[in-house]
Amino acid sequence: ILYLIAVVSIFSHFFFGPLRLIQEYMEKGDLEGAETILNQVQFPGLLFKPIRSVYYTLKGNIAMTKQDFEGAEKMMKKGIDLGSGSSLMQGAEGASLLQMGMLAMQKNDLKQAESYIRQAIRKGLPDKENQAAAFLQMCSIMMNKREFRAAKDFFRKAKALKPTTPQIADQIKQMEKYINRIPG
């Protein structure tokens, strides 16, 4: 029995890693604690595919908080490339694509940003706050492209979701001032 327990423990350590411990740190907002857990993973290639995808996505999120946009983009792409296939991870994949779109917007690469955000909307986003953020980003991209009718359509979709996050609600209020003035 002890040998069986040892084999199961070793198996779970290499194929699941200590990632199950990260949830506690993420709920508290302790990114340094989460990063220490992530750094304990010695061989991420051995993790199961969905868990490896989450691993790279979390590494990308932590890199974003540190303003390391190059590293964040690299890690997020790895997570997205692994994909998931399961319906549970569908929202996470959409959220990762949305973050990639936001990164592209910060780099002023509007074409790539539009592509990522459209993919995120197609894949599905986990909640109405993320959906509203995606629609607002698409609205601003359409305004930059001077496609005002599409911009107004995305704005209406974002407003209809009635997001409660202060930043998104504020963006909607500010955008409403400009949207009402443009033709189309």
Side-chain angles (χ1 to χ4, degrees):
I1 291 179
L2 289 176
Y3 287 127
L4 179 64
I5 292 172
V7 167
V8 168
S9 297
I10 291 171
F11 174 81
S12 70
H13 176 73
F14 283 108
F15 293 105
F16 297 111
L19 293 180
R20 61 191 177 280
L21 304 174
I22 287 181
Q23 183 178 0
E24 185 178 315
Y25 290 106
M26 295 302 277
E27 287 173 356
K28 291 179 186 174
D30 181 12
L31 292 177
E32 286 135 18
E35 187 175 20
T36 21
I37 300 276
L38 283 175
N39 291 336
Q40 289 178 3
V41 175
Q42 298 293 321
F43 307 105
L46 292 178
L47 296 171
F48 281 125
K49 193 175 179 181
I51 294 173
R52 194 172 354 146
S53 174
V54 169
Y55 169 80
Y56 286 124
T57 302
L58 288 172
K59 290 284 268 191
N61 287 338
I62 290 173
M64 273 184 75
T65 60
K66 292 182 174 184
Q67 304 293 318
D68 176 18
F69 298 123
E70 304 269 326
E73 184 175 13
K74 189 172 108 179
M75 289 296 160
M76 298 292 265
K77 278 185 180 177
K78 280 185 180 181
I80 291 170
D81 289 344
L82 285 170
S84 60
S86 74
S87 61
L88 293 174
M89 298 294 288
Q90 219 68 49
E93 191 174 353
S96 295
L97 286 165
L98 178 61
Q99 285 185 329
M100 290 295 293
M102 303 261 190
L103 277 171
M105 293 248 334
Q106 287 183 345
K107 291 180 176 181
N108 213 19
D109 184 1
L110 296 181
K111 189 173 184 179
Q112 189 65 44
E114 181 181 359
S115 169
Y116 280 130
I117 294 171
R118 283 189 187 276
Q119 286 177 39
I121 292 169
R122 257 192 313 264
K123 292 272 184 189
L125 293 161
D127 58 14
K128 69 178 185 173
E129 304 297 323
N130 282 313
Q131 291 172 353
F135 290 140
L136 279 174
Q137 293 299 320
M138 285 302 295
C139 177
S140 76
I141 289 171
M142 291 299 132
M143 286 176 71
N144 283 334
K145 290 172 69 176
R146 300 210 172 279
E147 295 180 18
F148 298 123
R149 187 168 292 166
K152 284 186 173 187
D153 187 43
F154 281 117
F155 177 75
R156 275 192 291 275
K157 288 179 182 178
K159 191 174 178 182
L161 290 169
K162 297 180 181 153
T164 56
T165 306
Q167 296 92 348
I168 297 174
D170 186 47
Q171 282 180 348
I172 286 178
K173 286 178 187 173
Q174 289 180 4
M175 188 76 78
E176 194 165 28
K177 296 174 188 174
Y178 298 109
I179 284 286
N180 291 332
R181 287 190 235 154
I182 59 175

